[in-house]
Amino acid sequence: MNYLELINKCLVELNYKQVNNFEELVKNDHKKIKNIINIINSEVCRSDKWNFLLRKMTLTLPKNTGEIENTVPGRLATVLVNGVKYEFFEDFEKFLMNTQPPCTYSVFGDKLLFPVFSENKTIEVVYYTKNNAADTNSNEKTSLESADDSSLIPDPFAEPLLVYGTCLRLKANPQHVKFSYWLSMYNDALANLRSRNFVSMDVTPTVKLFRY
């Protein structure tokens, strides 16, 4: 479902008149709806480690240097150096002194820090993209902008999450006649998305109870 279709779904839920094209979205509530859809879209994408946001890229660490520019467009998930997994180590000062634990990396400003090697190393990075949307050519972007743009949230869940979430945020009144319905539909969609975020049957959501 594209951006314009999502907006029109919101207009229907709010008992407003639908539009035929993007250029008709000039009223204040239109602008609010457009903005809130992007806010909800970003919030949902940032709220969990979603499989649909995982991406992969390869970097090169030159020999005799322990740092490279961090060009990863998102949150780091897995880092491999020549096929060996490296763990994140928060104390970047240890890397500056080359006293860090083995098989670790860190971050300092816009740099990725690694041990110093005597030969070039291939860095494979799996990350969660910072992008939330894509155009019709599948070029990813940070927000929905054009009528044909679509959310990176999978189609079965994007509509209820973005439409009902937007209506909730726009009205923000628990006394509204549809508020409870919107909230229920939004929560159901989010729960269903989480339950279907696992590609293996061996990994399922669990609830852990602790006794204090």
Side-chain angles (χ1 to χ4, degrees):
M1 179 167 286
N2 64 36
Y3 193 20
L4 181 58
E5 291 170 336
L6 288 169
I7 293 169
N8 271 327
K9 286 280 187 178
C10 290
L11 294 175
V12 169
E13 281 296 321
L14 295 164
N15 293 320
Y16 294 164
K17 182 180 178 181
Q18 296 187 72
V19 298
N20 294 315
N21 57 71
F22 208 64
E23 289 67 31
E24 295 179 49
L25 299 169
V26 295
K27 296 180 179 179
N28 285 336
D29 275 356
H30 291 160
K31 296 176 182 178
K32 289 179 182 178
I33 288 170
K34 289 167 65 177
N35 183 53
I36 294 173
I37 287 176
N38 271 301
I39 291 173
I40 300 296
N41 190 43
S42 177
E43 288 179 350
V44 171
C45 287
R46 300 284 80 76
S47 68
D48 212 329
K49 297 177 180 179
W50 304 115
N51 286 327
F52 59 83
L53 295 179
L54 283 173
R55 305 289 184 269
K56 184 179 179 181
M57 67 184 299
T58 301
L59 306 171
T60 298
L61 176 67
K63 62 182 180 180
N64 301 322
T65 180
E67 65 180 44
I68 54 175
E69 184 177 356
N70 184 6
T71 57
V72 180
R75 299 171 291 166
L76 297 168
T78 302
V79 173
L80 304 176
V81 179
N82 278 26
V84 177
K85 184 176 181 180
Y86 274 51
E87 301 292 341
F88 177 73
F89 186 68
E90 189 173 4
D91 189 356
F92 64 86
E93 291 182 343
K94 292 289 194 299
F95 288 83
L96 301 179
M97 297 182 290
N98 202 30
T99 59
Q100 73 283 343
C103 295
T104 58
Y105 73 96
S106 192
V107 176
F108 177 69
D110 60 351
K111 302 291 185 181
L112 293 175
L113 306 181
F114 293 93
V116 177
F117 299 101
S118 59
E119 57 185 16
N120 293 346
K121 295 290 185 178
T122 298
I123 312 296
E124 294 178 274
V125 178
V126 177
Y127 64 96
Y128 294 94
T129 179
K130 66 179 181 180
N131 293 315
N132 309 309
D135 62 21
T136 53
N137 294 318
S138 298
N139 297 312
E140 294 186 359
K141 50 173 59 177
T142 56
S143 59
L144 297 155
E145 300 169 316
S146 303
D148 292 331
D149 288 348
S150 57
S151 170
L152 293 184
I153 300 171
D155 279 341
F157 312 102
E159 178 185 345
L161 285 170
L162 300 183
V163 172
Y164 298 125
T166 297
C167 292
L168 281 168
R169 191 70 59 89
L170 182 68
K171 291 304 180 181
N173 179 10
Q175 303 305 316
H176 190 282
V177 64
K178 280 191 171 183
F179 189 90
S180 295
Y181 170 72
W182 293 334
L183 181 60
S184 174
M185 295 299 287
Y186 175 86
N187 286 336
D188 285 349
L190 189 59
N192 287 333
L193 176 59
R194 286 201 170 104
S195 70
R196 287 164 174 76
N197 187 50
F198 303 97
V199 295
S200 172
M201 290 300 294
D202 295 327
V203 182
T204 57
T206 60
V207 176
K208 296 182 179 180
L209 300 178
F210 298 92
R211 178 176 295 177
Y212 296 94

